[in-house]
Amino acid sequence: MPLSLAQMRRNYTLDGLPDATAPDDPLLLFRQWMQQARDTEQAPVEANSMCLATVDAQGRPHCRVLLLKGFSEAGFTFFGHYQSAKGQDLAANPHAAMTFFWPGLERQVRIEGPVCRLDPQLSDAYFDSRSMASRLGAWASPQSQPLADRAQLEALLAQTVERFAEQSPPRPEQWGGYCLQPERLEFWQGRADRLHDRLDYRLHDGVWTHGRLAP
Ligand SMILES: Cc1cc2nc3c(=O)[nH]c(=O)nc-3n(C[C@H](O)[C@H](O)[C@H](O)COP(=O)(O)O)c2cc1C
């Protein structure tokens, strides 16, 4: 007899976040955790998958899974269609939150901040690095628009394949990258008996400070 959802729980015991080991720069910790997630998460979990939350012009939140494609001091980058629902949300409200969940490490990272479009040359470079199928798909699919049926999508792809029979597809103007510039990062490490560790980093006047939050 399977457990009811209310009875499902695990005790988290893999690791801890001692106060003394918290670096001043949260990017250092993010880099270390991302590397450990890449090294240890078992397929089919993609270490760079995250849930991206945006808020629409009416103040309603929406979230969906995306892939993080890079991060640096400049911010955290992801790609999609600028006319998609998330693109429209970001045009109306250029703030977002992303959450990574690495179950094999009993970890979560939350990142929040303003979002801007990536420099077009960087979007071009990433688009050109994608497979032909992905590039054609970006042209063929009007992301987030209603489709009558699957056949309509396949017909759009067939037209796109024909259109680019003689030339390599360039990046569509309405497809590209975004960069979330972090103002807040929170690192969560599951601990025994629900006494989890939460390290909270906030950016003030270009300087990161950190503290601990109750679980
Ligand atoms: C594992 C996974 C990775 C995904 N990666 C992306 C991505 O990098 N970019 C993207 O636009 N959509 C990605 N998607 C699809 C999105 O979840 C979503 O369906 C799409 O972006 C449309 O969302 P929107 O209508 O809210 O704009 C991914 C979905 C999954 C499950």
Side-chain angles (χ1 to χ4, degrees), residues 30 54 131-132 156:
F30 185 81
T54 53
S131 68
M132 179 59 84
L156 286 167

Side-chain angles (χ1 to χ4, degrees), residues 57-182:
Q58 286 74 45
R60 297 188 183 178
H62 306 277
C63 64
R64 75 293 279 160
V65 174
L66 296 190
L67 297 178
L68 183 77
K69 289 295 175 175
F71 66 95
S72 69
E73 295 296 333
F76 292 75
T77 53
F78 54 92
F79 290 84
H81 284 257
Y82 291 139
Q83 304 290 358
S84 67
K86 79 183 104 32
Q88 291 182 36
D89 291 357
L90 288 168
N93 182 349
H95 283 81
M98 49 177 70
T99 302
F100 295 84
F101 175 43
W102 293 310
L105 294 165
E106 301 174 345
R107 286 175 178 171
Q108 168 183 252
V109 178
R110 296 167 56 178
I111 304 174
E112 297 167 8
V115 177
C116 59
R117 285 192 186 185
L118 204 61
D119 187 272
Q121 282 91 336
L122 295 177
S123 289
D124 289 343
Y126 173 66
F127 187 81
D128 293 344
S129 76
R130 303 178 89 212
S131 68
M132 179 59 84
S134 297
R135 282 183 277 156
L136 291 169
W139 276 97
S141 165
Q143 193 176 49
S144 312
Q145 295 302 309
L147 292 169
D149 49 26
R150 174 88 200 174
Q152 186 185 355
L153 182 61
E154 286 166 7
L156 286 167
L157 180 63
Q159 286 164 19
T160 306
V161 169
E162 203 172 313
R163 176 174 172 189
F164 292 108
E166 307 288 324
Q167 82 180 97
S168 175
R171 177 175 65 88
E173 209 179 304
Q174 288 310 325
W175 187 100
Y178 288 99
C179 179
L180 185 156
Q181 296 151 312

Side-chain angles (χ1 to χ4, degrees), residues 21-34:
T21 60
D24 290 337
D25 181 354
L27 228 61
L28 293 179
L29 190 53
F30 185 81
R31 187 167 288 120
Q32 183 190 338
W33 277 27
M34 175 60 85

